[in-house]
């Protein structure tokens, strides 16, 4: 699980495909409405707003915030423009999902090339390949926001704590995450702190043996 005791209101994730898997579908962006490159979902079940953008070829960006909180850039970003210099009209489809509504009958999703992001009926995120439907990454539980707990946020407003947890198959290996003293190339099962320390450098990018990469674009304290 990713636990962040304080951060600005918006969670920001990038999930993309790696290598040969990225070439097995066209790079056009798709949603339920033609001509849109993003979708904004107001979900009553989770009381959150979720925005999914096609972010270049075979990649999507997901942002989430408590309903009513501003979904804005934090001013510190590891991202380039989503289409790397190409023009984007920025048109978004906006959807309100009522409590108890069946999303399986009319799923909320956004695709870019061979990467698809879906909001499941209970508000969880699921990422899959377009060409064969294989699920690569899915939340165990819907991400949760709560009051901040880190001392650095005392006296400030507009901050939340966040808990985010994805499931993993037994055979999956997880690489990346910066420089650590574990002696292991596979970081699965380790817990790292999102805070600089002597010889410990955490970079919140995961490369999976399942063929996807994951960037958590949130400047905050926490564990990974």
């Amino acid at each position: 699980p990713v636990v962040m005791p304080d951060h600005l209101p918006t969670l920001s994730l990038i999930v993309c495909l790696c290598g040969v898997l990225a070439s097995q579908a066209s790079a056009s962006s798709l949603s339920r409405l033609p001509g849109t490159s993003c979708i904004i979902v107001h979900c009553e079940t989770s009381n959150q707003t979720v925005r999914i953008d096609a972010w270049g070829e075979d990649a999507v960006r997901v942002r989430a915030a408590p309903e009513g909180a501003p979904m804005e850039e934090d001013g510190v970003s590891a991202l380039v423009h989503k289409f790397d210099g190409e023009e984007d009209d920025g048109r978004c489809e906006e959807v309100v999902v009522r409590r108890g509504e069946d999303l399986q009958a009319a799923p909320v999703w956004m695709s870019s090339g061979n990467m698809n992001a879906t909001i499941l009926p209970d508000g969880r995120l699921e990422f899959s390949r377009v060409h064969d439907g294989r699920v690569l990454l899915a939340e165990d539980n819907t991400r949760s926001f709560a009051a901040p707990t880190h001392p650095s946020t005392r006296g400030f407003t507009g901050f939340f704590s966040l808990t985010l947890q994805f499931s993993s198959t037994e055979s999956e290996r997880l690489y990346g995450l910066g420089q650590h003293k574990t002696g292991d190339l596979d970081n699965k099962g380790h817990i790292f702190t999102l805070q600089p320390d002597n010889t410990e450098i955490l970079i919140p990018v995961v490369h999976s043996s399942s063929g996807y990469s994951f960037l958590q674009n949130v400047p905050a304290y926490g564990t990974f």
Side-chain angles (χ1 to χ4, degrees):
V2 178
V3 180
M4 311 191 81
D6 78 284
H7 70 101
L8 293 170
T10 304
L11 164 68
S12 177
L13 309 172
I14 295 285
V15 181
C16 63
L17 288 172
C18 306
V20 67
L21 298 178
S23 65
Q24 299 187 28
S26 66
S28 58
S29 301
L30 305 171
S31 70
R32 300 192 305 171
L33 293 180
T36 58
S37 62
C38 68
I39 187 167
I40 299 173
V41 181
H42 304 275
C43 185
E44 289 188 351
T45 301
S46 62
N47 196 33
Q48 296 176 20
T49 299
V50 180
R51 173 171 174 156
I52 305 174
D53 289 75
W55 206 266
E57 295 185 9
D58 305 300
V60 292
R61 181 183 185 186
V62 178
R63 280 169 278 186
E67 187 65 47
M71 189 173 291
E72 57 191 22
E73 297 293 345
D74 50 40
V76 180
S77 178
L79 304 178
V80 296
H81 189 276
K82 63 179 172 181
F83 291 108
D84 197 19
E86 296 180 15
E87 290 297 324
D88 170 41
D89 58 20
R91 287 184 293 169
C92 286
E93 177 187 1
E94 195 150 357
V95 178
V96 177
V97 181
R98 306 297 180 189
R99 190 177 301 275
E101 195 168 303
D102 186 6
L103 284 178
Q104 292 178 338
V108 176
W109 54 275
M110 169 64 68
S111 294
S112 180
N114 202 18
M115 171 60 76
N116 184 79
T118 301
I119 300 178
L120 299 174
D122 57 5
R124 290 182 298 124
L125 291 165
E126 181 181 88
F127 302 90
S128 59
R129 292 197 307 234
V130 172
H131 83 276
D132 63 0
R134 179 186 174 190
V135 175
L136 302 173
L137 186 66
E139 284 186 287
D140 279 341
N141 302 290
T142 305
R143 75 223 72 82
S144 62
F145 293 91
T149 58
H150 197 276
S152 64
T153 58
R154 291 173 183 165
F156 293 91
T157 60
F159 286 81
F160 296 87
S161 64
L162 165 71
T163 301
L164 175 72
Q165 184 167 335
F166 292 102
S167 57
S168 176
T169 62
E170 185 175 346
S171 60
E172 184 178 20
R173 300 178 302 281
L174 301 174
Y175 307 115
L177 291 175
Q179 172 183 294
H180 305 284
K181 301 189 290 288
T182 64
D184 295 327
L185 182 60
D186 180 5
N187 288 313
K188 190 173 180 179
H190 291 293
I191 297 176
F192 301 115
T193 301
L194 285 157
Q195 184 172 343
D197 197 2
N198 185 27
T199 72
E200 290 281 326
I201 303 170
L202 193 139
I203 301 173
V205 179
V206 176
H207 302 285
S208 168
S209 60
S210 296
Y212 68 87
S213 292
F214 168 98
L215 162 66
Q216 181 166 299
N217 187 49
V218 181
Y221 296 110
T223 57
F224 205 114

